[in-house]
Amino acid sequence: MSKKILIVSSSPRKGGNSDVLCDEFLKGAQEAGHDCEKIFLRDKKINYCTGCGFCVTNNNTACSQKDDMAEIIDKMLEADTIVFATPIYFYAMAGQLKTFIDRLCARYTHLSNKEFYYIMAAAENSPSAIQYALGEFKGLMDCLNNPVEKGYLFAGGVWQKGEVLNTNYPKQAYEAGKNI
């Protein structure tokens, strides 16, 4: 059965390691017959949540800020599967993705019955390098209605841009996309 898949790449580097893995995931998912779109957060204007409460007083249907976030949330609502990809900095997700997740506050109660997959790339090779990021993802999942975590890919030991191309991780990302 064909799924609608939205990939959210938070790498600040176009062609960075986590971004390359997004592209491979996308290629595998498309070859499996899924309808896919990749959003590169670096190309979007997403402000910080100001905690103004506008979303709460409007039944979590809108945000007071006028930036690219509303368009992206609409795409998330249409998607069956959402893939979050991030480089790992200081054992946590990139600030771009955290800011994005914080802004989901405006409509997170509408993100029901979605599948989620995570892609993380880090210079550190130890699996412990992603524990904080996984905790941040879990915090989001705990706030959603019936989320299904499909898994994650951890690409460790890659720091310099493109370094991931000399590993087996792109193939793993491709296979994950093909089997989502």
Side-chain angles (χ1 to χ4, degrees), residues 8-73:
V8 179
S9 175
S10 69
S11 176
R13 300 185 296 187
K14 192 165 188 78
N17 294 313
S18 63
D19 193 48
V20 165
L21 296 175
C22 286
D23 292 340
E24 289 300 312
F25 187 100
L26 181 122
K27 188 187 322 178
Q30 285 177 326
E31 287 183 18
H34 300 296
D35 178 17
C36 305
E37 180 178 358
K38 178 180 140 188
I39 293 174
F40 198 46
L41 291 183
R42 176 182 158 193
D43 295 338
K44 301 294 183 181
K45 179 172 175 35
I46 300 173
N47 300 321
Y48 297 106
C49 177
T50 63
C52 69
F54 184 87
C55 57
V56 175
T57 60
N58 286 280
N59 297 319
N60 290 92
T61 59
C63 179
S64 66
Q65 299 194 59
K66 304 301 177 218
D67 59 10
D68 294 328
M69 198 63 197
E71 170 195 341
I72 299 170
I73 291 177

Side-chain angles (χ1 to χ4, degrees), residues 14-169:
K14 192 165 188 78
N17 294 313
S18 63
D19 193 48
V20 165
L21 296 175
C22 286
D23 292 340
E24 289 300 312
F25 187 100
L26 181 122
K27 188 187 322 178
Q30 285 177 326
E31 287 183 18
H34 300 296
D35 178 17
C36 305
E37 180 178 358
K38 178 180 140 188
I39 293 174
F40 198 46
L41 291 183
R42 176 182 158 193
D43 295 338
K44 301 294 183 181
K45 179 172 175 35
I46 300 173
N47 300 321
Y48 297 106
C49 177
T50 63
C52 69
F54 184 87
C55 57
V56 175
T57 60
N58 286 280
N59 297 319
N60 290 92
T61 59
C63 179
S64 66
Q65 299 194 59
K66 304 301 177 218
D67 59 10
D68 294 328
M69 198 63 197
E71 170 195 341
I72 299 170
I73 291 177
D74 286 344
K75 292 175 188 261
M76 291 176 75
L77 292 170
E78 293 173 10
D80 300 303
T81 304
I82 299 165
V83 178
F84 290 129
T86 183
I88 298 297
Y89 298 140
F90 299 99
Y91 301 102
M93 68 176 55
Q96 294 86 334
L97 186 56
K98 180 61 172 122
T99 295
F100 175 82
I101 289 172
D102 288 349
R103 286 293 304 288
L104 292 176
C105 187
R107 296 179 64 197
Y108 76 95
T109 58
H110 303 275
L111 288 171
S112 299
N113 304 309
K114 304 292 181 188
E115 296 178 342
F116 291 88
Y117 191 88
Y118 317 125
I119 296 173
M120 297 163 283
E124 176 73 40
N125 205 19
S126 170
S128 65
I130 62 169
Q131 293 311 304
Y132 294 121
L134 287 174
E136 290 170 310
F137 288 130
K138 177 151 178 38
L140 173 61
M141 295 302 114
D142 285 349
C143 295
L144 301 181
N145 182 24
N146 198 33
V148 177
E149 291 179 292
K150 297 297 283 184
Y152 67 85
L153 171 61
F154 167 53
V158 294
W159 182 17
Q160 299 300 321
K161 183 177 179 179
E163 208 168 6
V164 75
L165 294 169
N166 300 321
T167 70
N168 195 40
Y169 297 130

